[in-house]
């Protein structure tokens, strides 16, 4: 009887997380949002920019088709846009369908890093390139405004660039990629340079009139099935949650130094709002206490191949079909993604994203704290 009651409670918790609208204790009052980042907030730039394809079951739960998001549905940024009563952000690189940028634009691209891209990078759209794209976007908008009054439905109003919220969720790939080529000490030693490049981008935006900055720190990298499969085969490398200790150590140091940088910028740009959001703590709490929030699996991929304990194989992405050892295999989705924290080995499920967004909106994981 107790087991049945617990199971019923878990199902109800999941339904409440997914079905109820997010309530916000934060007064989000911005006319537009400009977002910069990686796959944690990419709403279609990689797909548009490189002609890449995402297959079902990506997008199955909300969009009923692949939407350019590495998820079964919505991302954290989608839920935050809902909380601001603004439409989902269109990707900057999407040219088909007369995309509307009235309330902002998304420059985030899956696989992007803060550091400049190299020949071995996943894509060329580093943070510096995203900054350059924004500057071109702004200049083009201002040019159109000067020439015609025909475009108010499609482009931000002149004063939106100063009043907008500038959001950032980037840096995870700088750390994750580093572990394939460098030691932990080398990765930790490189963090100041990574953040120096990030600071340069913030300064460019500030000089352009941006005054509202919203920065997510990086999550527990070592708890992604992709990292556990690659770097966690030795149990001594894992922590008490089953996550790769070295990767989470790097995430923590990155976040510590990012926080210090933003405290500095809070003092330097006193006419600006610089908000640090502790995503690491929110996601770590979810992973440690997943059953409390209605989840059943935390370190196993919903959409993958290979079966327990991780159901992840780096050779076959979610939705793909490939020939392994003479047999055709498909990385299929699980029966109920709402029970999984992780979607495809690297990215979180829609249910997990909505939980994270709901915690962000309490304001208690922000510095300065939000009311």
């Amino acid at each position: 009887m107790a087991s049945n009651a617990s199971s019923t409670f878990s199902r109800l918790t999941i339904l409440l997380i997914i079905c109820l609208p997010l309530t916000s204790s934060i007064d989000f009052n911005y006319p537009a949002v400009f977002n910069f980042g990686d796959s944690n907030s990419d709403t279609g730039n990689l797909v548009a920019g490189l002609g890449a394809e995402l297959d079902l079951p990506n997008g199955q739960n909300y969009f009923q088709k692949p939407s350019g998001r590495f998820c079964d549905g919505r991302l954290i940024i989608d839920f935050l846009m809902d909380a601001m009563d603004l439409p989902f952000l269109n990707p900057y690189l999407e040219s088909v369908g007369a995309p509307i940028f009235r309330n902002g634009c998304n420059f985030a691209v899956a696989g992007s890093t803060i550091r400049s891209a190299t020949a071995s990078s996943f894509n060329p759209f580093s943070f510096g390139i995203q900054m350059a794209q924004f500057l071109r976007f702004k200049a083009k908008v201002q040019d159109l405004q000067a020439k015609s009054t025909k475009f108010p439905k499609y482009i931000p109003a002149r004063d939106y660039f100063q009043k907008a919220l500038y959001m950032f969720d980037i840096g995870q790939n700088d750390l994750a990629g580093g572990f394939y080529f460098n030691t932990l000490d080398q990765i930790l030693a490189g963090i100041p340079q990574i953040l120096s490049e990030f600071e340069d981008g913030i300064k460019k935006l500030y000089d352009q009139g941006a005054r509202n900055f919203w920065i997510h720190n990086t999550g527990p990298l070592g708890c992604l099935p992709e990292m556990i499969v690659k770097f966690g085969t030795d149990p001594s490398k894992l922590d008490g949650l089953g996550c790769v200790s070295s990767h989470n150590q790097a995430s923590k140091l990155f976040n510590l130094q990012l926080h210090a940088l933003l405290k500095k910028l809070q003092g330097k740009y006193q006419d600006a709002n610089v908000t640090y959001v502790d995503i690491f703590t929110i996601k770590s709490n979810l992973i440690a206490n997943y059953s409390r929030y209605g989840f059943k699996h935390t370190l196993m991929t919903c959409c993958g191949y290979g079966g327990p304990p991780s159901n992840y194989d780096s050779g076959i992405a979610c939705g793909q079909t490939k020939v392994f050892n003479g047999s055709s295999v498909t990385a299929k989705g699980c029966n109920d993604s709402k029970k999984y924290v992780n979607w495809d080995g690297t990215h979180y499920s829609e249910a997990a994203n909505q939980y994270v967004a709901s915690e962000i909106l309490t304001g208690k994981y922000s510095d300065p704290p939000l009311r």
Side-chain angles (χ1 to χ4, degrees), residues 207-237:
D207 290 344
Q208 286 285 318
R211 290 298 181 267
N212 301 300
F213 301 94
W214 178 275
I215 300 97
H216 291 180
N217 72 9
T218 198
L221 181 63
C223 296
L224 299 176
E226 175 190 3
M227 297 297 128
I228 297 171
V229 168
K230 177 65 177 179
F231 300 98
T233 53
D234 181 351
S236 69
K237 305 293 185 182

Side-chain angles (χ1 to χ4, degrees), residues 51 80-81 94 180-181 186 191 195 251-252 282 289 297 328 333 352:
L80 296 182
M81 295 301 291
E94 182 57 78
Y180 285 88
F181 307 103
Q186 289 172 324
I191 291 175
L195 292 178
S251 296
K252 290 176 182 177
I282 298 173
N289 302 289
H297 305 285
S328 179

Side-chain angles (χ1 to χ4, degrees), residues 321-353:
T321 298
K322 290 189 175 182
V323 176
F324 279 4
N325 299 321
S327 300
S328 179
V329 299
T330 300
K332 299 179 180 179
C334 57
N335 291 330
D336 187 358
S337 62
K338 299 180 183 68
K339 295 180 180 179
Y340 287 73
V341 170
N342 193 279
W343 169 240
D344 61 3
T346 308
H347 309 98
Y348 285 63
S349 67
E350 180 185 69
N353 286 333

